[in-house]
Amino acid sequence: MNPLQLLPPEPAHQAAIWALRHLPRALQTGFAAPVVDPRLSSQLWGLDFPNPLGMAAGFDKHVEAYNALFGLGFGFVEVGSITPEPQPGNPKPRVFRLRADQAVINRYGFNSKGLDGARDRLRAKPAQGVLGINLGKNKWTEEAAPDYCAGIRELGPHAAYLVANVSSPNTPGLRAEQRQDRLRPLIVACQEARDALATRPPLLVKIAPDLEPEDLEAVADLALGLGLDGLIVSNTTLARPASLSGAAKSEAGGLSGLPLFERSTEVLRQVARLTRGQVPLIGVGGIHDAASAYVKIKAGASLLQVYTALTYQGPRLVPTILSGLLALMERDGLTQISEAIGQEV
Ligand SMILES: Cc1cc2nc3c(=O)[nH]c(=O)nc-3n(C[C@H](O)[C@H](O)[C@H](O)COP(=O)(O)O)c2cc1C
């Protein structure tokens, strides 16, 4: 067990960020050696990924621990979500463990220190690996696009890739931005803001696992039609599978972890089919070991992210998943992880 599990969830989250900023690396990694192997490396969007496993958004929300996260062995790190202006998020408590289900429910509600502080920290400490920057909108903003464009302008120069997060269940009305009539102008505005940057980082959209089939088709059509660089599938779910046993299962918020795996992987598979493998996908939701990571890749994910399992299993999860992926590749006679992408679609 990860000893931080002895603390309540939000203090544990803060303590993890503190430990990453202040403790020596050997303590942070649990004395596990990082897995470095060229068979796990890949190139996407002209970027070099040393391995396909990334830290998902929502852990380093305030852009404080990204370089230490590279030190844990992640192939890439996504910080945020960051809102233009600082905002406190929802009242506490707002994160809940469902230990027996290996799941978490959170309703942080985009607690963010805002763009200015993030930009200053990134200037002072440039990222030592592939850094994704995940953008949100302030709770009080009526029109979403200007908020995302502000994030792109301010933080885009520091990003290897950018994410418009339109799928958090904890900002009222946000998920409506995924509807086709709203998503098209939003993506067009974000792409214009991105194109104005000298670095022109890839722009991705992160979607919910709760979209109906017709919404998924619309998202796929937009991604193909507008030349979106990628999709992240998926955010947390509002659904509550009947299997949940944790006392906190009725708390409001987004559910993540093991009970999200099947649904988020099915949505990933559908999106991979609908986009015919032409739009790179990042698979996230319920990855907890090498086998579940491998399933996501075969379902169409070029890259992976993990969050909830890391809170239960601790930092040794990263080398465990990566070495397990190498063993699965050997079993299947693969020489490069990219050969597995979409194999089952
Ligand atoms: C406590 C917590 C906070 C999160 N905050 C964000 C966020 O700010 N932005 C975002 O795009 N996703 C956020 N997520 C969603 C994760 O990035 C990920 O999509 C989701 O948890 C599924 O992955 P997992 O099952 O491996 O946790 C958050 C998840 C958790 C558990």
Side-chain angles (χ1 to χ4, degrees):
M1 186 185 79
N2 177 7
L4 288 175
Q5 291 277 312
L6 297 169
L7 295 172
E10 188 163 348
H13 184 181
Q14 288 163 346
I17 296 286
W18 183 92
L20 286 167
R21 293 178 65 190
H22 299 289
L23 293 185
R25 179 167 297 174
L27 287 180
Q28 293 173 3
T29 57
F31 297 93
V35 174
V36 181
D37 192 301
R39 291 173 293 172
L40 292 171
S41 68
S42 63
Q43 273 216 331
L44 190 58
W45 309 303
L47 300 167
D48 289 314
F49 290 83
N51 69 63
L53 186 62
M55 178 75 235
F59 178 71
D60 191 8
K61 277 180 181 280
H62 309 307
V63 198
E64 297 166 320
Y66 45 98
N67 281 334
L69 287 165
F70 292 121
L72 296 189
F74 282 113
F76 63 110
V77 171
E78 190 172 309
V79 293
S81 297
I82 306 157
T83 60
E85 300 297 326
Q87 64 176 34
N90 288 323
K92 298 174 189 173
R94 51 194 180 176
V95 196
F96 306 88
R97 286 192 194 104
L98 288 74
R99 187 184 306 280
D101 307 294
Q102 294 286 296
V104 163
I105 291 175
N106 94 84
R107 52 168 182 270
Y108 267 115
F110 286 168
N111 54 319
S112 176
K113 296 184 182 173
L115 294 175
D116 286 350
R119 188 194 48 226
D120 293 346
R121 289 187 287 286
L122 286 164
R123 274 196 189 138
K125 292 197 176 123
Q128 291 161 7
V130 179
L131 186 78
I133 300 186
N134 178 310
L135 303 167
K137 70 176 269 294
N138 281 121
K139 188 177 177 181
W140 54 80
T141 346
E142 296 273 316
E143 211 192 325
D147 272 19
Y148 290 99
C149 292
I152 293 168
R153 273 195 310 275
E154 293 299 322
L155 300 183
H158 302 280
Y161 72 86
L162 289 163
V163 184
N165 174 16
V166 289
S167 48
S168 166
N170 302 312
T171 293
L174 184 70
R175 285 153 70 111
E177 299 296 333
Q178 296 173 105
R179 285 204 329 251
Q180 194 175 18
D181 54 328
R182 307 266 290 265
L183 193 56
R184 175 184 291 277
L186 181 71
I187 294 176
V188 169
C190 289
Q191 286 179 326
E192 275 174 20
R194 184 275 311 270
D195 290 344
L197 299 172
T199 48
R200 291 191 83 254
L203 176 74
L204 288 72
V205 169
K206 183 166 178 178
I207 64 169
D210 305 326
L211 293 179
E212 298 296 331
E214 57 270 25
D215 296 324
L216 280 183
E217 270 178 46
V219 168
D221 285 348
L222 281 180
L224 287 169
L226 295 174
L228 200 62
D229 298 292
L231 289 165
I232 304 187
V233 189
S234 72
N235 216 312
T236 56
T237 179
L238 284 172
R240 295 291 183 265
S243 63
L244 294 181
S245 61
K249 66 182 179 186
S250 304
E251 290 291 345
L255 174 75
S256 59
L258 206 54
L260 176 59
F261 179 75
E262 262 181 46
R263 176 66 192 162
S264 63
T265 307
E266 183 48 35
V267 172
L268 174 72
R269 204 173 277 125
Q270 287 174 26
V271 174
R273 282 204 186 101
L274 290 165
T275 52
R276 304 183 292 277
Q278 289 171 26
V279 179
L281 306 175
I282 300 183
V284 50
I287 292 175
H288 58 284
D289 58 11
S292 53
Y294 202 48
V295 169
K296 290 259 195 220
I297 296 174
K298 288 196 187 170
S302 296
L303 296 167
L304 308 167
Q305 290 177 328
V306 65
Y307 187 162
T308 301
L310 189 75
T311 70
Y312 284 106
Q313 300 188 43
R316 280 172 171 262
L317 180 65
V318 180
T320 302
I321 288 180
L322 294 176
S323 54
L325 277 177
L326 285 167
L328 290 165
M329 286 168 61
E330 271 170 28
R331 184 197 67 186
D332 293 350
L334 306 183
T335 53
Q336 212 54 50
I337 190 70
S338 48
E339 292 164 14
I341 300 169
Q343 240 184 28
E344 279 177 7
V345 183

